[in-house]
């Protein structure tokens, strides 16, 4: 496989960086790309290009502006195989997941926000006034301005476009930095932007890292109007400090320590399959993944045994093999982090029901970042492995007796992103889902997404909601106009 050169896209032109860094395929350790790290001057140039492009882009009639978003979606689909190969080369994720989730959602995000921007109503009120007449109040929305987008490595194209699409749809211009771990599909999107004739400067891609690199150059830039970020909670905290001097708005989608509650009246097979998917999908590298499973006591032992079987049925294969159901973690560095939690769990007293280490294959996968799907039981709720996000294919299962206890256990966390409730009693399903202190609660399903709904979390899981009209709150600034009639 040829080694790609991934360059920066600034003011409509591709540019080398000040240095390059290597991108390795986590499935086999092979070099897939040399990535051009942008300098501070290049980030400054990208911000200047975005500022210069902003007035014309914001002034475009919404149908013309959103035509570009439909063209970007069409471009992703036209080059589907290129995006698929790039995403898999960067992440090692199975072709089944990348072809059904990552790449299709890249196109879907652009189409969803183009549609939302075209069909938005305007908030207005007719106000009775003391003189017996009326006034008209309406909220006139303008773009926030030049938006900094910083995205993570777990669902690279999905999460990159989840932020770029609404930013562009509502008339903003963008300076975007994908994760240094997964730079390829963002660069392909820049190629598509050039192919469809997106006006120069509207969409800029700069590569690099966080501290003292493109990430920090964006968040500390005085002419950036706001930051939308997806990544670790600790990074979110750092970015908040970076934007504080300018009191810039932030939209954060951060970490999670999500719970699944399985009641004894659940459809047992559906709950086992659904929980297994929510724990092990994408090698556990989805912020919405379940890491804490609570099962009502009468079915606890049976559920543990059944989930163990599901974990041991996973096929830890080569990404392009359609039989593969779990690929490697995204990097050896991340595998070391997950392994540290596997060791810690044993120290904290966990029973390892299955997994707990590194598989051996006797082939090139041994150079990859593969890890065994792991299930723990027996940890106290105070354990670090119960409180801290692992972000790998691992969960802890504990029993509960009453609904009230289950709700208390699930909510006993500083995170607040997602939860899943498995019960055939839908009155209970609604009640328990509403009691979850999270941004997203699924009942008898997981990661089922309607892009019009509010997405995000509270506490350590983030600030704000994006999705549908909820994205307006970050990507536009309303002026309330009051006209005396
Ligand atoms: N809530 C969500 O929707 C969601 C989605 C995906 C991932 N995540 C979270 O992201 C984490 C995994 O992704 P990750 O490891 O890429 O996260 P990360 O925070 O390490 O990095 C995310 C991005 O931030 C950049 N960055 C790092 N430090 C920075 C700094 N000081 N200033 C500016 N930019 C900086 C990185 O280069 C990268 O592009 C997990 O915690 C996961 O839960 C959350
Ligand atoms: N933001 C979304 C998913 C986030 C996944 C976290 O890893 C989405 O589905 O829109």
């Amino acid at each position: 496989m040829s080694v790609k050169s991934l360059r920066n896209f600034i003011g409509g032109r591709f540019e080398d960086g000040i240095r390059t860094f290597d991108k390795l395929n986590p499935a086999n350790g092979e070099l897939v790309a040399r990535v051009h790290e942008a300098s501070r001057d290049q980030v400054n140039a990208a911000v200047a290009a975005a500022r210069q492009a902003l007035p014309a882009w914001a002034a475009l009639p919404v149908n013309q502006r959103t035509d570009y978003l439909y063209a970007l979606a069409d471009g992703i689909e036209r080059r589907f195989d290129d995006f698929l190969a790039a995403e898999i080369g960067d992440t090692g994720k199975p072709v089944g997941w990348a072809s059904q989730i990552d790449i299709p959602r890249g196109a879907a995000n652009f189409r969803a926000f183009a549609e939302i921007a075209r069909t938005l109503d305007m908030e207005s009120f007719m106000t009775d006034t003391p003189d017996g007449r009326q006034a008209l109040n309406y909220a006139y929305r303008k773009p926030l301005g030049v938006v900094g987008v910083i995205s993570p490595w777990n669902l690279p194209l999905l999460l990159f476009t989840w932020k770029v699409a609404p930013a562009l749809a509502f008339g903003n211009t963008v300076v975007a930095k994908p994760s240094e771990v997964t730079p390829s599909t963002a660069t392909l999107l820049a190629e598509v932007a050039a192919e469809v004739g997106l006006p120069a400067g509207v969409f800029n891609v700069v590569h690099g890292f966080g501290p003292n690199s493109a990430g920090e150059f964006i968040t500390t830039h005085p002419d950036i109007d706001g930051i939308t970020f997806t990544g670790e909670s600790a990074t979110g905290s750092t970015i908040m400090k970076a934007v504080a001097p300018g009191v810039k708005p932030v939209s954060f989608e951060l970490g999670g320590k999500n719970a699944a509650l399985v009641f004894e009246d659940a459809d047992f097979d559906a709950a086992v399959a659904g929980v297994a998917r929510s724990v092990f999908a994408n090698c556990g590298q989805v912020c919405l993944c379940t890491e804490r499973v609570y099962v009502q006591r009468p079915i606890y032992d049976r559920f543990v045994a059944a989930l163990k079987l599901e974990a041991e049925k996973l096929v830890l294969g080569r990404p392009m093999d359609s039989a593969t159901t779990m690929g490697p973690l995204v990097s050896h560095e991340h595998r070391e982090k997950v392994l540290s939690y596997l060791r810690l769990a044993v120290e904290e007293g966990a029973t390892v029901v299955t997994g707990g280490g590194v598989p051996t294959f006797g082939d090139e996968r041994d150079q990859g970042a593969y890890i065994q799907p792991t299930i723990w039981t027996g940890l106290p709720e105070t354990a670090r492995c119960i409180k801290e996000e692992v972000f790998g294919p691992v969960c802890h299962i504990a029993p509960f007796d009453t609904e009230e206890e289950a709700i208390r256990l699930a909510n006993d966390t500083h995170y607040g992103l997602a939860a899943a409730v498995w019960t055939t009693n839908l009155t209970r399903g609604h009640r328990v889902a509403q009691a979850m202190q999270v941004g997203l609660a699924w009942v008898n399903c997981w990661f089922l997404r309607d892009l019009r709904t509010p997405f995000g979390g509270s506490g350590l899981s983030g600030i704000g909601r994006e999705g549908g009209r909820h994205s307006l709150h970050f990507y536009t600034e309303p002026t309330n106009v009051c006209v005396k009639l």
Side-chain angles (χ1 to χ4, degrees):
M1 185 176 217
S2 64
V3 176
K4 292 175 290 187
S5 173
L6 301 179
R7 306 167 74 206
N8 303 287
F9 185 62
I10 299 170
R13 291 185 302 108
F14 285 95
E15 293 184 14
D16 287 357
I18 47 169
R19 64 180 74 88
T20 64
F21 56 91
D22 290 350
K23 167 60 205 170
L24 304 181
N25 181 331
N28 54 29
E30 289 176 5
L31 178 66
V32 292
R34 287 200 172 83
V35 191
H36 286 260
E37 182 180 1
S39 66
R40 186 188 291 272
D41 286 346
Q42 286 179 298
V43 170
N44 294 344
V47 174
R51 179 63 60 190
Q52 186 173 8
L54 180 62
W57 180 248
L60 270 185
V62 68
N63 284 358
Q64 279 184 43
R65 187 164 65 236
T66 49
D67 277 345
Y68 283 107
L69 273 74
Y70 285 115
L72 289 169
D74 295 344
I76 291 172
E77 289 179 344
R78 185 172 60 251
R79 297 186 60 180
F80 189 95
D81 291 346
D82 295 341
F83 277 89
L84 187 62
E87 200 76 303
I88 292 171
D90 274 7
T91 61
K93 64 177 68 189
V95 62
W97 178 271
S99 60
Q100 291 164 36
I101 304 286
D102 294 88
I103 311 310
R105 271 294 308 276
N109 288 343
F110 280 112
R111 294 197 174 104
F113 285 104
E115 180 64 20
I116 289 157
R118 285 187 173 195
T119 56
L120 265 183
D121 58 351
M122 181 184 281
E123 182 182 297
S124 64
F125 298 93
M126 288 300 287
T127 310
D128 292 334
T129 52
D131 61 3
R133 297 170 63 185
Q134 287 185 308
L136 167 65
N137 280 280
Y138 63 92
Y140 179 75
R141 289 188 173 276
K142 297 185 281 287
L144 172 60
V146 174
V147 173
V149 174
I150 299 176
S151 60
W153 49 251
N154 60 311
L155 301 172
L157 184 67
L158 188 157
L159 290 167
F160 188 75
T161 56
W162 179 242
K163 303 294 188 163
V164 170
L168 298 183
F170 297 130
N172 302 279
T173 52
V174 167
V175 178
K177 189 198 83 69
S179 170
E180 60 278 14
V181 181
T182 52
S184 297
T185 45
T187 312
L188 272 181
L189 185 62
E191 290 181 13
V192 170
E195 289 160 10
V196 304
L198 193 67
V202 166
F203 170 59
N204 303 274
V205 177
V206 289
H207 290 296
F209 306 84
N212 198 30
S213 189
E216 186 178 329
F217 301 157
I218 291 170
T219 59
T220 57
H221 198 291
D223 202 26
I224 283 277
D225 294 307
I227 297 287
T228 184
F229 165 74
T230 304
E232 295 202 6
S233 304
T235 308
S237 174
T238 302
I239 292 173
M240 276 186 98
K241 294 180 189 123
V243 302
V247 192
K248 305 283 176 70
V250 294
S251 176
F252 281 169
E253 292 180 9
L254 306 178
K257 191 66 180 183
N258 310 309
L261 301 181
V262 184
F263 289 87
E264 63 180 311
D265 63 7
D267 173 330
F268 187 84
D269 293 343
V272 170
V275 169
R277 180 167 171 264
S278 75
V279 173
F280 301 117
N282 203 47
C283 204
Q285 300 167 125
V286 181
C287 60
L288 305 162
C289 275
T290 299
E291 293 194 7
R292 296 180 293 140
V293 185
Y294 299 101
V295 180
Q296 204 153 24
R297 201 174 299 276
I299 60 167
Y300 176 75
D301 291 339
R302 185 171 156 231
F303 189 91
V304 172
L307 197 66
K308 176 178 186 290
L309 280 179
E310 290 301 308
E312 291 168 354
K313 279 191 320 195
L314 289 166
V315 177
L316 278 61
R318 296 176 176 82
M320 293 308 289
D321 181 345
S322 58
T324 297
T325 49
M326 194 167 97
L329 291 167
V330 76
S331 67
H332 283 278
E333 179 190 8
H334 185 57
R335 184 168 73 172
E336 281 313 308
K337 172 188 171 185
V338 177
L339 286 173
S340 74
Y341 278 102
L342 300 191
R343 292 189 292 271
L344 174 64
V346 174
E347 292 163 14
E348 292 188 308
T351 298
V352 182
V353 174
T354 186
V358 174
T360 51
F361 301 101
D363 57 37
E364 85 289 352
R365 285 173 291 171
D366 290 335
Q367 277 67 54
Y370 288 85
I371 196 164
Q372 292 172 334
T374 298
I375 297 172
W376 301 315
T377 57
L379 283 174
E381 286 298 307
T382 53
R384 281 184 52 202
C385 291
I386 299 292
K387 296 301 176 193
E388 298 174 17
E389 177 185 60
V390 177
F391 213 56
V394 57
C395 72
H396 180 264
I397 313 176
F400 70 86
D401 294 301
T402 66
E403 181 180 307
E404 293 67 27
E405 181 190 5
I407 291 170
R408 180 180 53 76
L409 287 166
N411 287 335
D412 182 15
T413 171
H414 293 299
Y415 289 98
L417 187 56
V421 181
W422 298 88
T423 174
T424 51
N425 175 342
L426 287 191
T427 302
R428 184 203 323 260
H430 285 281
R431 183 172 62 236
V432 173
Q434 291 166 19
M436 294 292 97
Q437 291 162 5
V438 295
L440 304 101
W442 281 289
V443 179
N444 298 327
C445 58
W446 177 75
F447 204 20
L448 195 55
R449 292 279 291 117
D450 182 322
L451 306 189
R452 297 167 297 182
T453 58
F455 184 99
S458 54
L460 288 177
S461 293
I463 296 173
R465 295 294 187 274
E466 294 197 28
R469 60 182 305 108
H470 307 279
S471 297
L472 274 173
H473 300 304
F474 177 73
Y475 293 107
T476 68
E477 287 283 3
T479 298
N480 187 74
V481 177
C482 177
V483 181
K484 186 73 178 63
L485 302 177

